[in-house]
Amino acid sequence: QVQLVESGGGLVQAGGSLRLSCAASGRRTFSNYAMGWFRQAPGKERDFVAAISWSGGNLYYADSVKGRFTISRDNAKSTVYLQMNSLKPEDTAVYYCAADLAPGSSYSYYRANRGYEYDYWGQGTQVTVSS
């Protein structure tokens, strides 16, 4: 069992920045699994945002956030981060972190962006970007 708790969301003006955090706890070893961030805007499907392998050596991003968002992790703190810069109104959504407990030795974007591959999800944190 893994518990994930997101924090850091809020209201920000376009062009601003936010840093989301996702703290993991539970019996599983955090450094063994991959982590992802997804988001869901009202009336829309959940979309992939970014993912990071267990070691932090592989990073994947949706095209819509490349160059603006950065995912990172601190295995000593069992925490994954999403630094969001140059925010746009279209980034407004509830942001969820998720844990993939069996990413495999050949972790790839093909797996990272598929929500159904993730085993545990946080409750979400609201990000609102005003124009």
Side-chain angles (χ1 to χ4, degrees):
Q1 189 78 4
V2 174
Q3 293 81 40
L4 303 173
V5 179
E6 301 99 333
S7 61
L11 173 65
V12 64
Q13 288 188 331
S17 299
L18 282 175
R19 187 195 196 202
L20 304 184
S21 299
C22 173
S25 61
R27 299 175 65 90
R28 299 294 188 109
T29 302
F30 180 76
S31 58
N32 286 348
Y33 47 88
M35 295 294 296
W37 285 96
F38 291 76
R39 66 187 182 186
Q40 187 167 21
K44 296 187 177 181
E45 295 185 351
R46 182 183 61 197
D47 289 332
F48 169 74
V49 175
I52 186 168
S53 61
W54 63 272
S55 66
N58 298 86
L59 309 177
Y60 304 107
Y61 297 95
D63 288 343
S64 59
V65 307
K66 278 182 182 177
R68 300 188 298 122
F69 290 13
T70 302
I71 188 171
S72 62
R73 67 189 295 161
D74 185 338
N75 286 343
K77 295 183 178 180
S78 298
T79 302
V80 64
Y81 305 96
L82 186 68
Q83 177 67 44
M84 305 186 296
N85 299 328
S86 302
L87 282 161
K88 304 174 181 179
E90 51 264 44
D91 294 318
T92 295
V94 177
Y95 283 71
Y96 300 90
C97 68
D100 179 357
L101 269 59
S105 58
S106 58
Y107 188 62
S108 68
Y109 179 84
Y110 183 65
R111 179 182 178 98
N113 74 341
R114 297 186 295 189
Y116 62 81
E117 296 287 5
Y118 291 81
D119 303 285
Y120 294 96
W121 294 79
Q123 83 290 350
T125 185
Q126 176 70 46
V127 172
T128 303
V129 184
S130 63
S131 57

